[in-house]
């Protein structure tokens, strides 16, 4: 069964504290009002980190937590020195919330228009080693699930890099958090990749890409942050990815896991996300989710 969720990212939240973002109380209210019942936590410190308080806030809105995403630089020798404490606190909160997914992505440097961040061989080996160390901690020590999230501008962005990551990591430790929008943004066929690598995908981010805006980004040399602000990540029923076909494929496979609705648009006006989330929830309902 596909279990639907959302994330603070769909409300333009990328940081624990930023004056351009809505407050966490309003976020939880609007998640409920948009028709979702499950959310990721967003960046550490955005939602309350005290489990008793967080549980109370979720319960009064009929909400629960599915997981947390951590953004961390992975292609450096000392990555685990600072990542391990973050993993410990995240896993403790998730266990208290009866949630299971820890999603990790490589941090992105400041974006450069038209530039793909390619890691050299030493950096790639560091990224793999640190990913495996993080995954072993999450899976073997904490008993939770670990997923790696490829991302535009990071060390794992292109389809070839995602394929390489999967080849270099064991399936029993590392699942893939597959984000349709980020994969399609690179020009790759996200639906074809999903079918080819379905065995490795344990967690989905449902996101779509406007092909007209994607073409404009390429023509004007816009960086991806500017592209997000211009609306390249669009409504689920208005982009490259056919989510009716995605839903049919996942049903056919008997996928039992989370599909998390997102729409990158940081920063955005505070009143912008809720109508978009309501629309996308209606689109998902029409698909039987």
């Amino acid at each position: 069964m596909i279990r639907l969720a959302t994330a603070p990212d769909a409300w333009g939240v990328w940081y624990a504290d930023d004056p351009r973002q809505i407050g966490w109380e309003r976020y939880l209210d609007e998640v409920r009002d948009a028709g979702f019942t499950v959310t990721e936590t967003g960046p550490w410190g955005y939602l309350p980190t005290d489990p008793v308080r967080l549980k109370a806030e979720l319960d009064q809105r009929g909400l629960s937590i599915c997981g947390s995403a951590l953004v961390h630089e992975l292609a450096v020798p000392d990555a685990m020195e600072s990542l391990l404490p973050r993993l410990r606190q995240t896993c403790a909160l998730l266990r208290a919330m009866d949630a299971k997914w820890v999603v990790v992505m490589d941090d992105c440097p400041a974006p450069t228009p038209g530039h793909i961040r390619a890691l050299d061989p030493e950096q790639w080996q560091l990224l793999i080693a640190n990913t495996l160390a993080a995954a072993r901690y999450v899976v073997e020590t904490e008993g939770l699930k670990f997923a790696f999230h490829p991302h535009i501008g990071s060390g794992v962005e292109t389809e070839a890099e995602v394929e390489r990551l999967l080849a270099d990591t064991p399936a029993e430790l590392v699942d893939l958090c597959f984000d349709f929008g980020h994969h399609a943004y690179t020009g790759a066929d996200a639906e074809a990749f999903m079918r080819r690598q379905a065995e490795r995908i344990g967690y989905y981010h449902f996101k779509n890409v406007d092909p007209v805006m994607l073409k404009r980004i390429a023509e004007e040399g816009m960086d991806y942050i500017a592209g997000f602000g211009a609306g390249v990540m669009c409504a689920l029923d208005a982009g490259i990815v056919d989510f009716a076909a995605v839903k049919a494929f996942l049903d056919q496979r008997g996928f039992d896991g989370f599909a998390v609705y997102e729409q990158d648009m940081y920063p955005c006006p505070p009143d912008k996300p809720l109508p978009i989330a309501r629309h996308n929830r209606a689109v998902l309902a029409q698909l039987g989710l």
Side-chain angles (χ1 to χ4, degrees):
M1 180 181 69
I2 303 172
R3 287 165 281 174
L4 193 61
T6 189
D9 173 83
W11 269 257
V13 173
W14 280 11
Y15 302 102
D17 185 23
D18 188 309
R20 292 179 291 183
Q21 299 173 170
I22 64 171
W24 66 267
E25 297 99 329
R26 179 174 175 179
Y27 169 71
L28 291 180
D29 287 343
E30 293 192 358
V31 167
R32 174 201 61 205
D33 295 345
F36 293 92
T37 60
V38 185
T39 178
E40 290 183 359
T41 62
W44 180 264
Y46 178 65
L47 296 184
T49 56
D50 174 70
V52 174
R53 185 182 182 197
L54 179 57
K55 182 82 164 54
E57 295 288 349
L58 295 168
D59 285 350
Q60 73 179 20
R61 296 170 174 87
L63 303 177
S64 63
I65 298 293
C66 60
S68 293
L70 286 78
V71 181
H72 200 91
E73 189 175 8
L74 296 173
V76 292
D78 60 350
M80 284 302 293
E81 291 181 17
S82 49
L83 179 55
L84 186 56
R86 298 184 66 198
L87 290 171
R88 286 196 185 106
Q89 65 186 12
T90 297
C91 290
L93 183 62
L94 291 180
R95 283 190 280 102
M97 296 297 105
D98 196 27
K100 297 192 178 300
W101 282 99
V102 176
V103 178
V104 172
M105 63 165 274
D106 182 39
D107 200 3
C108 307
T112 303
H115 173 71
I116 293 177
R117 179 189 171 206
L119 301 182
D120 65 32
E122 181 180 356
Q123 289 173 318
W124 182 265
Q125 290 306 315
L126 286 169
L127 181 141
I128 294 299
N130 289 318
T131 297
L132 289 174
R136 288 191 184 99
Y137 176 78
V138 169
V139 175
E140 297 175 355
T141 302
E142 296 285 357
L144 301 179
K145 293 181 179 292
F146 179 93
F148 188 96
H149 183 355
H151 195 281
I152 300 162
S154 75
V156 184
E157 172 181 3
T158 66
E159 183 166 283
E161 289 166 343
V162 180
E163 298 272 14
R164 186 180 178 191
L165 175 95
L166 295 180
D168 288 353
T169 56
E172 64 270 19
L173 281 179
V174 179
D175 279 281
L176 186 66
C177 170
F178 185 59
D179 187 308
F180 287 93
H182 284 264
H183 205 82
Y185 185 99
T186 69
D189 186 332
E191 293 176 51
F193 180 91
M194 170 196 67
R195 292 180 173 88
R196 188 169 67 252
Q197 293 288 358
E199 292 292 338
R200 288 297 297 270
I201 303 172
Y203 195 85
Y204 285 90
H205 280 174
F206 276 20
K207 189 182 297 172
N208 218 336
V209 177
D210 180 341
V212 175
M213 181 56 66
L214 193 60
K215 184 173 183 289
R216 179 185 156 197
I217 287 170
E219 290 173 346
E220 297 182 10
M222 296 169 64
D223 67 63
Y224 68 88
I225 299 295
F228 290 169
V232 68
M233 300 301 181
C234 62
L236 294 177
D237 59 343
I240 293 170
V241 180
D242 179 356
F243 278 101
V246 169
K247 166 69 161 50
F249 175 79
L250 294 179
D251 283 344
Q252 181 183 7
R253 285 189 54 81
F255 176 74
D256 183 17
F258 283 102
V260 180
Y261 150 68
E262 290 188 327
Q263 187 166 327
D264 293 316
M265 50 185 167
Y266 172 87
C268 67
D271 295 330
K272 180 179 179 180
L274 180 57
I276 293 172
R278 281 179 167 149
H279 171 81
N280 283 311
R281 183 64 189 91
V283 170
L284 292 164
Q286 291 171 357
L287 297 178
L289 292 168

